[in-house]
């Protein structure tokens, strides 16, 4: 009987595969990404390296000494005091205490402050509270401390916001009205993101992590790019990280452009050029995990997307590696064996500048 | 899960020099190799030493740029960042704000 190795499905379930089956999935996953984004497949030596990482018999793996990279955060101390909706563990602690725990106890390279909703729009009514907490964090902490939030343009549409829901309009074949609604929402989103970050920066924030850009489609990316451009112009030294929601920019509007480039349909290696042009310091590429495929397939696919992005980029790339993206299983408690293998592969094969 | 990444691939923040390398990536958009070389030169260590807790513990204490444990008398919080500013030759926003607040 052929030797079998334990892997994970994209949903985290333990599976067993032979070496030949793993190689076939690695090749298939890489070919899928290459075909979709029109980027090169992984070379044989890179696939061999992935095979070596995946079949390592140890439960936990790590990068070779000297290859470590800085790690940025998603959601910050809400991980400590938040509820399950934010994958929080519900420990009653202030955000300052949670952030200091990450700095002093967990060895985080950077940290961020975030509102419990983790979207920009709800921050407006509580901006003074956010500024006060940011000031406390900056007084007490040493590592770079960002403000993190999602552009989340979905909150600007009915029933949560003032603009008619584009989905409802499109269902009624009111395409132009849907596009107008998305543009109006984007204009308000740009205004809000600038206003919030102006205030946080003026009380000492290191900068901002724009998280899950594009979650509401191309208007979400349009708003983020324009907000980043305006903030960079006003604050040349602001730290700005721009991370994506998915591998492909969904063309809900379909005709929005930035710097003469249509945003709909952009893949990570194309997104990074606009993010850099807008003025961000660091880009967070994303590739989505397919829960019905193996970790070998998912990891090879993600590494193919991200390697092409790193090579096309002029700014550092901190790959997004939370639950359900970039080779990490779609599970709230992703198995450590799968997480550390994906982590090592992104550094040693894709060549990322950070995670 | 973030801790799994920190242990597998991270620079472990104040335990070593992760915060310093991150600051160069964000303040100057430096890629990983350039950022490590820059910080290593400023600290007079090798790039590989930046992730070595044994080396960095002594370096951080000597330069008074913040250490992971609560050492009485060592610079903490914004005081450590003001030393990091000078060491890395960068301006840190919270330090600039602090100077403005105290009239310097």
């Amino acid at each position: 009987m052929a030797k079998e190795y334990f892997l994970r499905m994209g949903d985290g379930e333990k599976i067993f595969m032979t070496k030949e089956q793993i190689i076939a999935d690695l090749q298939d996953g890489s070919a899928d990404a290459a075909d979709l984004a029109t980027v090169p497949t992984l070379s044989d030596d890179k696939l061999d390296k992935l095979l070596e990482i995946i079949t390592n018999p140890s439960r936990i793996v790590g990068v070779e000494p000297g290859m470590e990279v800085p790690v940025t955060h998603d959601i910050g101390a809400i991980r400590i005091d938040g509820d399950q909706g934010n994958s929080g563990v519900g420990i009653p602690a202030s955000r300052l205490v949670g952030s200091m725990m990450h700095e002093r106890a967990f060895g985080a390279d950077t940290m961020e402050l975030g509102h419990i909703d983790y979207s920009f729009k709800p921050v407006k009514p509580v901006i003074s509270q956010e500024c006060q907490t940011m000031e406390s964090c900056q007084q007490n902490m040493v590592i770079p401390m960002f403000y993190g939030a999602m552009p989340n343009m979905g909150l600007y549409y009915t029933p949560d916001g003032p603009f008619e829901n584009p989905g409802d309009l499109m269902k009624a074949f009111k395409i132009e009205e849907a596009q107008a609604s998305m543009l109006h929402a984007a204009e308000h989103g740009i205004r809000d993101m600038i206003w919030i970050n102006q205030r946080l920066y003026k009380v000492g924030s290191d900068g901002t992590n724009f998280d899950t850009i594009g979650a509401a489609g191309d208007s979400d990316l349009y708003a983020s790019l324009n907000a980043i451009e305006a903030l960079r112009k006003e604050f040349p030294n602001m730290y700005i990280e721009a991370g994506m929601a998915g591998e492909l920019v969904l063309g809900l509007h379909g005709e929005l452009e930035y710097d003469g480039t249509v945003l709909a349909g952009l893949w990570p290696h194309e997104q990074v050029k606009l993010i850099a042009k807008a003025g961000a310091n660091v880009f967070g590429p994303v590739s989505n995990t397919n829960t019905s495929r193996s970790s070998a397939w998912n990891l090879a696919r993600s590494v193919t997307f991200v390697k092409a992005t790193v090579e096309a980029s002029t700014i550092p790339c901190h790959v997004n590696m939370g639950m359900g993206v970039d080779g990490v299983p779609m599970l709230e408690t992703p198995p450590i064996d799968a997480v550390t293998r994906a982590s090592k592969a992104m550094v040693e094969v894709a060549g990322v500048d950070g995670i | 899960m973030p801790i799994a990444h920190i242990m597998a691939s991270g620079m472990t923040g104040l335990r070593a020099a992760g915060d310093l390398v991150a600051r160069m990536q964000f303040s100057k958009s430096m890629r990983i190799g350039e950022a490590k070389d820059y910080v290593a030169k400023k600290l007079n260590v090798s790039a590989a030493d930046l992730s070595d807790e044994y080396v960095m513990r002594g370096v951080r204490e000597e330069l008074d740029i913040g250490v992971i444990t609560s050492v009485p008398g060592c610079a903490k919080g914004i005081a450590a960042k003001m030393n990091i500013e000078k060491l890395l030759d960068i301006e840190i926003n919270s330090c600039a704000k602090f100077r403005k607040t105290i009239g310097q």
Side-chain angles (χ1 to χ4, degrees):
Chain A
M1 188 176 168
K3 182 177 179 183
E4 290 190 325
Y5 300 85
F6 97 85
L7 287 82
R8 298 282 174 177
M9 287 296 287
D11 66 356
E13 183 189 6
K14 185 182 277 188
I15 56 171
F16 292 88
M17 297 173 73
T18 65
K19 185 177 175 183
E20 289 69 31
Q21 288 172 326
I22 295 170
I23 291 170
D25 265 14
L26 289 172
Q27 291 171 337
D28 193 30
S30 180
D32 187 64
D35 181 47
L36 286 167
T38 320
V39 296
T41 54
L42 296 176
S43 60
D44 287 345
D45 63 318
K46 298 295 182 190
L47 290 170
D48 288 345
K49 181 70 178 173
L50 282 182
L51 178 68
E52 179 191 319
I53 293 169
I54 287 171
T55 58
N56 187 306
S58 301
R59 177 171 178 249
I60 295 172
V61 302
V63 298
E64 293 175 21
M67 293 193 74
E68 300 87 350
V69 295
V71 175
T72 38
H73 215 272
D74 170 8
I75 223 163
I78 300 171
R79 190 79 71 206
I80 301 294
D81 70 328
D83 65 287
Q84 189 212 6
N86 281 318
S87 300
V89 295
I91 299 172
S94 71
R95 287 181 291 170
L96 168 62
V97 170
S99 297
M100 292 182 75
M101 284 163 66
H102 278 79
E103 174 180 281
R104 309 283 170 85
F106 305 157
D109 295 310
T110 69
M111 195 51 193
E112 66 175 43
L113 180 68
H115 176 275
I116 189 67
D117 187 84
Y118 203 57
S119 301
F120 279 111
K121 184 167 169 261
V123 173
K124 285 188 295 177
V126 293
I127 187 65
S128 295
Q129 175 71 29
E130 299 307 273
C131 287
Q132 174 190 294
T133 309
M134 176 59 79
E135 279 187 295
S136 298
C137 289
Q138 291 291 349
Q139 289 283 338
N140 288 285
M141 294 179 63
V142 179
I143 62 176
M145 185 73 185
F146 294 77
Y147 194 79
M150 302 183 291
N152 197 359
M153 300 307 298
L155 290 183
Y156 289 83
Y157 304 130
T158 53
D160 300 308
F163 301 107
E164 202 160 355
N165 195 302
D168 294 338
L169 290 167
M170 283 192 276
K171 276 191 288 186
F173 297 101
K174 294 179 178 177
I175 305 303
E176 286 182 6
E177 289 90 334
Q179 288 180 317
S181 186
M182 283 184 257
L183 198 53
H184 284 149
E187 286 163 358
H188 279 247
I190 293 167
R191 185 194 64 187
D192 291 348
M193 287 188 276
I194 293 171
W195 186 85
I196 290 163
N197 284 303
Q198 282 172 332
R199 271 135 198 89
L200 286 157
Y201 196 68
K202 283 177 182 172
V203 298
S205 171
D206 280 304
T208 295
N209 176 18
F210 289 83
D211 184 79
T212 62
I213 292 173
D218 48 354
S219 64
D220 203 298
L221 175 58
Y222 174 85
S224 304
L225 289 166
N226 281 283
I228 290 168
E229 181 184 303
L231 288 166
R232 174 57 67 225
K233 191 174 177 184
E234 186 173 353
F235 304 113
N237 296 323
M238 177 185 269
Y239 299 177
I240 300 178
E241 178 163 16
M244 301 301 292
E247 62 201 30
L248 177 70
V249 179
L250 299 176
L252 298 185
H253 184 289
E255 294 178 333
L256 291 172
E257 296 182 2
Y258 181 78
D259 196 38
T261 300
V262 175
L263 302 178
L266 292 181
W267 294 96
H269 70 291
E270 298 163 326
Q271 297 158 11
V272 68
K273 293 172 185 170
L274 297 186
I275 294 288
K277 175 87 177 174
N281 300 108
V282 168
F283 176 60
V286 165
S287 152
N288 305 93
T289 296
N290 184 333
T291 55
S292 301
R293 303 301 297 258
S294 72
S295 52
W297 188 89
N298 277 302
L299 192 52
R301 185 175 183 275
S302 297
V303 167
T304 303
F305 278 129
V306 174
K307 184 171 183 296
T309 306
V310 169
E311 289 171 357
S313 180
T314 56
I315 58 174
C317 292
H318 281 211
V319 60
N320 292 10
M321 297 195 76
M323 295 81 90
V325 289
D326 283 311
V328 175
M330 185 67 188
L331 180 67
E332 220 172 31
T333 48
I336 290 172
D337 48 81
V339 175
T340 57
R341 277 163 179 73
S343 203
K344 179 178 170 71
M346 281 297 172
V347 174
E348 295 186 353
V349 184
V352 297
D353 302 275
I355 292 175
Chain B
M1 189 194 58
I3 296 170
H5 283 304
I6 290 168
M7 294 300 110
S9 309
M11 295 191 70
T12 68
L14 291 188
R15 287 170 60 89
D19 60 318
L20 308 180
V21 174
R23 284 209 182 273
M24 297 321 300
Q25 289 195 322
F26 281 99
S27 61
K28 305 291 181 191
S29 295
M30 288 182 178
R31 304 299 291 260
I32 184 65
E34 186 186 4
K36 281 186 176 179
D37 288 345
Y38 183 91
V39 175
K41 193 174 174 186
K42 292 288 186 183
L43 267 58
N44 198 26
V45 298
S46 73
D49 287 339
L50 298 175
S51 310
D52 187 328
E53 292 90 338
Y54 178 83
V55 174
M56 286 308 303
R57 175 61 196 240
V59 169
R60 292 198 78 113
E61 205 159 325
E62 183 187 330
L63 296 172
D64 213 9
I65 53 174
V67 291
I68 191 96
T69 52
S70 187
V71 179
C74 273
K76 296 174 182 68
I78 203 154
K81 283 190 283 193
M82 293 180 91
N83 288 336
I84 290 171
E85 265 192 322
K86 284 181 270 184
L87 179 72
L88 296 183
D89 194 22
I90 56 173
E91 182 176 278
I92 296 176
N93 190 38
S94 56
C95 298
K97 166 72 179 167
F98 185 77
R99 280 191 292 273
K100 192 177 172 187
T101 304
I102 61 171
Q104 285 188 4

